[in-house]
Amino acid sequence: MSPACEDLRPFLDGELPEEDQRRIRGHLAGCEACATRFHDLLQLEMLARLALEDAEESARWVSARQARERLPGSWHEDVPENWPGEAALAAQPAPPPEHLEGRAWHQGARRYRRRCPGCASCCPWFAEGEAVEAVRLPRWSCPRAGRSGGAVLRPRPRR
Amino acid sequence: MVPGREEPPVREGSGGEFAAFAIRHQPVLVAIARNVCGRGASDCDDLVQDVLLRALLQWERLKRWPEPARRAWLVRVLHNRFLDQCRRQGAETDRRVDLHNVHMLFEDPEDSPEPEQWECVTEDELRQAVARLNEKLRQAFELHARGLRHAEIARRMNTPSAGTVGTWLFHARRRLKVMLHDTAERRRQERER
């Protein structure tokens, strides 16, 4: 690897002094590897200059990206092109509740609590009137506590 | 096209198509050639003239190609002619085209055996990828693509040194290459099928 190889980008940007430019032109004439890299840089340069010459078009892409980033879940790279904007999302009706209201839900919650003793993370009535403590556990049977474990609320042991 | 710039009238037909092509690409070619040939050199004008002349001679073929392929061809010609110029300056072997070797203009060593990465990327895809760059890299790259020097970019972005701008541009180019690699590869394989 020649020292000239390091300077190909500043050379393409026209940022080198005349003396260094001459040195690199001389080097490019004989070095196949550098000529290939330079060709690659040239292709990107040409494409970028053609694509970004229109400032308004480029600004439209940026605002589209920023709009997408405000949406939940948009940290994922593969956001589809036809992803609805915020207005479309707000116009949709609210999603139905995840659980059934009423006695069945309460009984189900109690049953669930029996399966998952000692965890207040998943049962909304657990903490009511009971003394709890937050503990950090390596692994907990409750699926909501996360796979790697985490802080959960459990009844404080009676002494 | 740059907004606000006066566009000369373009004639209908094949000549008009070439005129539109040349009017769009010539300023970009000049900007790049001026950077690599050294400022104030007549080599720069010769290089761009040579590239556009070859495009005109090959136009019957080029006009049927998609835009990215035409662009890549133009860059290949620019690259090869520029290397010729470098070799000429080094070894003083004159391969300038004159009446004795004018047939060289019609020979086309610029056909690439297989499509390159940048030949498989459209301008829209590049714009999308640039929009995904982080704020500083994107701004620096866009200002650079509009022809600003590193020092000017540094001034506009309130950065103390032009060297920092060079580093941002380095990272921007590398990330763009990585981001667009998969798309280009997929398209290349589709073409080969």
Side-chain angles (χ1 to χ4, degrees), chain B residues 39-146:
Chain B
R39 268 154 275 168
S42 64
D43 286 345
C44 160
D45 295 333
D46 291 348
L47 187 60
V48 175
Q49 291 286 339
D50 195 0
V51 171
L52 288 178
L53 177 59
R54 280 165 202 266
L56 179 60
L57 293 174
Q58 300 284 340
W59 186 246
E60 281 305 309
R61 201 160 56 96
L62 287 181
K63 72 179 180 187
R64 289 191 291 271
W65 290 9
E67 178 57 33
R70 261 189 252 168
R71 183 193 66 227
W73 181 89
L74 208 59
V75 176
R76 271 198 299 277
V77 178
L78 177 73
H79 179 248
N80 290 345
R81 297 287 78 77
F82 174 67
L83 289 189
D84 279 352
Q85 216 175 60
C86 294
R87 289 181 198 119
R88 207 160 53 218
Q89 283 168 357
E92 297 296 326
T93 54
D94 199 355
R95 286 182 61 199
R96 204 175 285 270
V97 176
D98 54 25
L99 279 178
H100 300 290
N101 57 4
V102 72
H103 62 277
M104 279 170 56
L105 284 171
F106 294 93
E107 292 165 4
D108 192 14
E110 270 76 40
D111 275 348
S112 170
E114 56 183 35
E116 308 161 39
Q117 169 169 359
W118 298 112
E119 193 173 337
C120 303
V121 175
T122 63
E123 289 175 26
D124 271 352
E125 283 161 351
L126 183 86
R127 279 189 215 114
Q128 285 180 51
V130 169
R132 274 174 21 214
L133 289 175
N134 78 36
E135 189 64 24
K136 283 219 187 306
L137 299 191
R138 179 182 64 72
Q139 264 187 19
F141 192 74
E142 283 179 353
L143 291 173
H144 167 73
R146 279 172 219 152

Side-chain angles (χ1 to χ4, degrees), chain A residues 13-14 25 39 51 58 65, chain B residues 36 39 116 127 131 142 173:
Chain A
D13 295 349
R25 279 198 288 269
H39 177 65
S58 151
R65 182 199 63 158
Chain B
V36 296
R39 268 154 275 168
E116 308 161 39
R127 279 189 215 114
E142 283 179 353
R173 282 167 173 151

Side-chain angles (χ1 to χ4, degrees), chain A residues 9-16 18 21 25-26 28-29 35-36 38-58 61-62 65-66 68 77 81, chain B residues 1 24-25 28 31-32 35-39 71-72 74-76 79 82-83 86-87 89 116 118 123 126-128 131-133 138 141-142 144-147 149-150 169-170 173 177:
Chain A
R9 286 186 186 86
F11 171 69
L12 179 60
D13 295 349
E15 293 292 325
L16 292 182
E18 189 57 36
Q21 284 195 0
R25 279 198 288 269
L28 276 175
T36 309
F38 183 64
H39 177 65
D40 198 50
L41 286 172
L42 264 185
Q43 289 278 12
L44 173 58
E45 185 74 11
M46 183 82 173
L47 172 59
R49 284 188 184 241
L50 288 171
L52 301 177
E53 66 184 349
D54 185 349
E56 286 173 16
E57 179 71 8
S58 151
W61 279 111
V62 173
R65 182 199 63 158
Q66 282 167 350
R68 281 206 305 267
E77 287 284 311
E81 286 301 311
Chain B
M1 292 289 165
R24 172 143 203 249
H25 291 82
V28 180
I32 295 176
N35 279 353
V36 296
C37 293
R39 268 154 275 168
R71 183 193 66 227
L74 208 59
V75 176
R76 271 198 299 277
H79 179 248
F82 174 67
L83 289 189
C86 294
R87 289 181 198 119
Q89 283 168 357
E116 308 161 39
W118 298 112
E123 289 175 26
L126 183 86
R127 279 189 215 114
Q128 285 180 51
R132 274 174 21 214
L133 289 175
R138 179 182 64 72
F141 192 74
E142 283 179 353
H144 167 73
R146 279 172 219 152
R149 304 238 147 241
H150 289 194
L169 290 177
F170 166 77
R173 282 167 173 151
K177 195 168 164 59

